[in-house]
């Protein structure tokens, strides 16, 4: 696992892609223009990996004063849906990026793509093949053995044109024919052994309805989409590196045919994001949701962007993360703590402080008058005094954390135990006098006396030197609500991977590595100001971490909270 060194300045980090673009601009390719795109297939929700691609593509466009397109690569009718289109639009907007007029759908280009396929046929660069899928696979050869020409490879242009037209007209069943490029069945690059361009698929498309029954393959459609939109730098993940020769072959032939001006778009590959303790594959995410291992696409434990948003992760944190991990050509695993650190850094700046008692036990101040209360004042943000202070009511009975009292203290324990003094933060110094227990011996309340001259912010406050500093909430004023704490969704850094000591042939599933204790729901006592928290408002709960008011389950005046991240890294336990 690698944790890259942060670049000196997050905003101007150089990388190999920027170097390529700088060189292209120096040579005045595309007149110095930079136009990128983020091209999701609308067949699932976006995940943390997509955030890297989004920040990278939109970030490059911003850095060079260009545009980045949001393009839906909706060429496969089977798994695509408007629900996903809407969710993707919302996620990219949430990350803080704008595409202006540049919102595109590959399906809008189906007519143009068809015309380009016809052109390739006429130029002798494509043919209709009538082998079955299995036969095509068998004829393709292997990495070590060349492929074999299909018996249909030398059909005449006229015959190909006619068959292709009849494919489009719906005369054939799925799988009866395909359109293939005519390149080289002996090429050492398997992707150049006459790749399939079109297949018959009698399926309803979420945008074009039943207008088409042939659909372009991704490898054919994608370069054309880029070229139609005048993309300059087509940035994609490494698995497409072997496809680049075909990308170039196709656009070169179409430029030759007058469809596009030169230079055509340039494909550049980078290593995809791999993150420990999560899975970043749509297939696996769909399985987690469908099989109800999580509560839905926006479950805060899921590495989707809707989940991240509910968790309280911030767009700024994702952008910072993308800068920090940089882009490279070699696959690396990034530790989840790197992402969490980026969130912490932003939240430390952005989140106001509040007090919450997550595991409450009552503290009774026996020498404080019953029925009386007074105000204490707590700063909203230690780094931003201009954000002022808020009032916290103080009274005879307070909630404190159960762990802040020990009847018999362990060595080095400075909080409450009989005879010891500690400060109630923003309030008074108290001296513990004992505790109350029920018939079973369980502690039901902690008892103490307060020092009336010790109030924080008054001259007497400094008279007491104490080591413990506890947070508290007045029982009479507290806001009791649900708080959710999350742990890793998986108990292993690389879910489903083989590990040392595994028997030979043992197959692990990523599902076997699900952490059964990834969600803990508490009934907590919060300071009264938190009643007014708006959905998605973020806070640091002192000592407990960063929290967000849940955007779905919060009611007006009755928010519930999710922990975004702890104050320090607890993943390296
Ligand atoms: P699938 O392979 O199932 O289609 P996908 O994650 O590649 O899933 P796309 O919708 O094709 O889904 O992805 C859109 C863009 O996001 C692509 O350009 C892809 O390269 C990029 N992307 C996907 N996963 C990652 C990742 N883990 N890291 C960086 N970029 C990614
Ligand atoms: Mg993909």
């Amino acid at each position: 696992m690698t944790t890259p060194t942060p670049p000196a300045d997050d905003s101007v980090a150089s990388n190999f892609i920027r170097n390529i673009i700088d060189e292209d601009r120096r040579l005045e390719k595309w007149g110095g223009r930079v136009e990128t795109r983020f091209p999701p297939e609308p067949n699932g929700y976006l995940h943390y990996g997509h955030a890297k691609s989004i920040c990278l593509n939109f970030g490059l466009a911003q850095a060079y004063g260009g545009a980045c397109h949001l393009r839906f690569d909706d060429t496969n009718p089977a798994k695509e849906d408007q629900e996903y289109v809407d969710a993707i639009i919302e996620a990219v907007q949430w990350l803080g990026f704008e595409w202006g007029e540049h919102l595109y759908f590959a399906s809008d280009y189906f007519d143009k793509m068809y015309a380009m396929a016809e052109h390739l046929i006429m130029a002798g660069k494509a043919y209709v093949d009538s082998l079955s899928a299995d036969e095509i696979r068998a004829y393709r050869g292997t990495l070590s053995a060349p492929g074999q020409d299909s018996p249909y490879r030398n059909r005449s242009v006229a015959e190909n044109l006619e068959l292709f037209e009849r494919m489009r007209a719906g005369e054939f069943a799925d799988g009866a024919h395909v359109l293939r490029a005519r390149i080289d069945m002996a090429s050492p690059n398997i992707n150049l052994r006459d790749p399939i361009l079109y297949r018959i698929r009698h399926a309803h498309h979420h945008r074009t309805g039943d207008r088409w029954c042939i659909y372009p393959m991704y490898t054919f459609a994608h370069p054309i989409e880029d070229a139609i939109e005048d993309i300059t730098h087509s940035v994609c993940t490494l698995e497409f590196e072997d496809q680049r020769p075909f990308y170039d072959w196709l656009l070169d032939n179409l430029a030759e045919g007058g469809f596009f001006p030169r230079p055509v778009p340039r494909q550049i590959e980078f290593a995809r994001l791999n993150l420990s303790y999560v899975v970043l594959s749509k297939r696996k995410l769909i399985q987690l949701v469908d099989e109800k291992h999580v509560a839905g696409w926006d479950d805060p434990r899921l590495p989707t962007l809707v989940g991240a948003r509910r968790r309280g992760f911030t767009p700024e944190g994702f952008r910072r993360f993308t800068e920090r991990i940089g882009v490279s050509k070699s696959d690396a695993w990034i530790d989840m703590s790197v992402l969490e650190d980026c969130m912490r850094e932003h939240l430390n700046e952005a989140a106001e402080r509040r007090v919450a008692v997550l595991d409450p036990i009552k503290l009774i101040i026996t020498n404080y008058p019953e029925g009386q209360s007074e105000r204490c004042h707590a700063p909203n943000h230690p780094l931003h005094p201009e954000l002022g202070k808020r009032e916290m009511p103080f009274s005879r009975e307070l909630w404190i954390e159960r762990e802040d009292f020990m009847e018999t203290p362990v060595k080095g324990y400075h909080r409450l135990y009989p005879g010891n003094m500690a400060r109630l933060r923003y309030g008074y110094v108290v001296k513990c006098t004992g505790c109350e227990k029920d018939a079973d011996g369980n502690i039901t309340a902690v008892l103490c006396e307060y020092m009336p001259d010790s109030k924080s912010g008054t001259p007497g406050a400094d008279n007491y030197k104490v080591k413990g500093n506890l947070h508290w909430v007045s029982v009479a004023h507290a806001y009791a609500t649900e708080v959710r704490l999350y742990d890793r969704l998986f108990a292993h850094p690389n879910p489903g991977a083989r590990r040392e000591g595994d028997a030979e042939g043992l197959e692990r599933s990523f599902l076997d590595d699900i952490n059964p204790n990834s969600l803990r729901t508490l009934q907590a006592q919060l300071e009264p100001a938190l009643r007014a928290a708006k959905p998605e408002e973020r806070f640091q709960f002192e000592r407990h971490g960063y929290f967000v008011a849940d955007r779905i389950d919060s009611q007006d005046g009755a928010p519930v909270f999710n922990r975004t991240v702890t104050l320090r890294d607890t993943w390296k336990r």
Side-chain angles (χ1 to χ4, degrees), residues 38-41 47 49-50 52-53 237 270 272-273 280 282:
F38 174 64
E41 193 183 345
H47 55 61
H50 294 115
K52 174 175 179 178
S53 178
T237 38
F270 71 100
R272 67 196 296 117
L273 171 67
L280 295 181
K282 272 185 206 161

Side-chain angles (χ1 to χ4, degrees), residues 41 218 239-240 282:
E41 193 183 345
Y218 178 86
E239 67 269 26
F240 295 106
K282 272 185 206 161

Side-chain angles (χ1 to χ4, degrees), residues 268-482:
I268 305 170
E269 309 87 16
F270 71 100
R272 67 196 296 117
L273 171 67
N274 297 310
L275 203 56
S276 63
Y277 292 104
V278 293
V279 292
L280 295 181
S281 132
K282 272 185 206 161
R283 185 182 56 77
K284 290 178 181 170
L285 294 175
I286 286 174
Q287 202 178 340
L288 287 169
V289 173
D290 283 353
E291 295 177 8
K292 303 208 185 323
H293 300 288
V294 292
W297 283 107
D298 64 353
D299 189 304
R301 293 166 293 176
L302 214 55
T304 52
L305 295 184
V306 274
R309 183 170 177 181
R310 259 190 104 174
R311 173 87 172 237
F313 282 6
T314 67
E316 292 86 347
F318 275 111
R319 296 204 293 265
R320 187 181 292 239
F321 174 68
T322 307
E323 282 295 336
R324 183 155 306 170
I325 60 176
V327 284
S328 78
K329 273 279 198 190
S330 52
D331 261 315
W333 279 80
I334 304 294
D335 198 285
M336 186 57 148
S337 63
V338 179
L339 177 62
E340 293 196 334
D341 274 341
C342 291
M343 298 302 164
R344 274 188 199 101
E345 286 170 21
H346 175 237
L347 289 168
N348 183 39
E349 261 294 312
E352 289 201 2
R353 274 45 170 177
R354 293 290 183 271
V355 174
V357 177
L358 299 188
D359 184 15
I361 189 166
K362 224 177 242 187
L363 177 73
I364 304 174
I365 307 169
T366 52
N367 63 340
Y368 195 90
E370 267 179 72
Q372 182 176 314
S373 73
E374 64 186 284
R375 297 180 193 132
C376 295
H377 293 90
N380 285 321
H381 202 303
L383 306 174
H384 296 288
E386 73 279 9
L387 293 175
K389 296 187 171 195
R390 65 195 188 281
E391 286 180 1
M392 294 214 312
F394 183 90
S395 64
R396 179 182 160 90
E397 297 196 351
L398 308 176
W399 294 114
I400 60 167
E401 298 290 346
R402 194 172 292 275
E403 62 165 33
D404 286 347
F405 171 75
M406 283 185 107
E407 200 174 10
T408 316
V410 294
K411 195 162 176 286
Y413 189 79
H414 299 301
R415 291 171 263 172
L416 294 177
Y417 56 86
N420 194 42
M421 286 210 255
R423 175 167 291 282
L424 297 172
R425 206 161 192 211
Y426 316 122
Y428 292 93
V429 170
V430 294
K431 179 175 191 171
C432 181
T433 55
C435 63
E436 290 176 353
K437 293 183 181 175
D438 64 13
D440 299 328
N442 300 312
I443 297 168
T444 53
V446 179
L447 304 175
C448 71
E449 291 177 353
Y450 85 118
M451 311 295 140
D453 62 344
S454 67
K455 191 170 183 180
S456 290
T458 67
D462 292 337
N463 296 343
Y464 298 86
K465 296 285 170 244
V466 295
K467 287 190 173 161
N469 201 348
L470 317 182
H471 65 270
W472 51 272
V473 171
S474 164
V475 170
H477 306 85
Y479 167 50
T481 192
E482 185 174 300

Side-chain angles (χ1 to χ4, degrees), residues 191 236-244 267 269-272 331:
N191 298 294
C236 63
T237 38
L238 275 181
E239 67 269 26
F240 295 106
E241 195 165 23
D242 293 345
Q243 292 284 358
R244 183 163 17 104
Q267 177 177 305
E269 309 87 16
F270 71 100
R272 67 196 296 117
D331 261 315

